[in-house]
Amino acid sequence: MSKFVVFAKLASFTVFIGLIMINAAQEKGRFFKLKENDKFEEIFKQNEKRIYYHMHKLGIRDPLGDFYAEGLFAMWTAHQKYEPNKGPFATYFNYTIRNRLIDLI
């Protein structure tokens, strides 16, 4: 089996696991909640371009979607762990997404 096939299978598995985790969390909590009672779906729609922005700035080409999935998971993690008294939400999103993508490189 070539390295590319192994990498492709691993990348698709990563995307699949990310989607399962998000779906399971939605089933469990019905919606992700911020302190301001915002739904994750709304937050995602407003901030999806942040993932693409950081991928572009880091020079990441993502034909298989594994970096995007990791950025989405980072956004969900940041959404869950955000504490309003520690700083702006956008700054925390940027920090979390960028560092997760760098870890994946």
Side-chain angles (χ1 to χ4, degrees):
M1 196 180 301
S2 72
K3 290 181 182 180
F4 179 74
V5 172
V6 172
F7 177 75
K9 287 183 178 184
L10 181 61
S12 63
F13 179 73
T14 303
V15 171
F16 179 70
I17 293 299
L19 293 174
I20 287 176
M21 293 175 69
I22 290 171
N23 287 336
Q26 286 175 337
E27 291 292 324
K28 182 179 178 186
R30 190 70 180 134
F31 294 112
F32 299 103
K33 294 181 181 166
L34 269 183
K35 307 299 182 204
E36 300 89 28
N37 295 324
D38 288 335
K39 298 176 188 172
F40 180 71
E41 289 84 5
E42 294 171 6
I43 299 297
F44 169 71
K45 288 176 188 174
Q46 295 170 358
N47 294 288
E48 181 180 16
K49 291 183 180 178
R50 289 182 195 277
I51 299 170
Y52 292 114
Y53 169 79
H54 287 294
M55 287 171 52
H56 175 73
K57 284 295 186 181
L58 293 170
I60 296 172
R61 302 281 186 246
D62 193 25
L64 301 175
D66 54 340
F67 285 95
Y68 178 80
E70 194 69 27
L72 180 60
F73 182 71
M75 184 184 294
W76 176 75
T77 304
H79 178 265
Q80 294 295 314
K81 293 182 178 182
Y82 175 66
E83 295 179 19
N85 59 348
K86 295 209 174 189
F89 193 55
T91 304
Y92 188 59
F93 260 13
N94 286 333
Y95 173 80
T96 306
I97 293 168
R98 185 176 197 288
N99 288 334
R100 184 69 61 92
L101 291 175
I102 289 172
D103 288 344
L104 195 58
I105 294 175

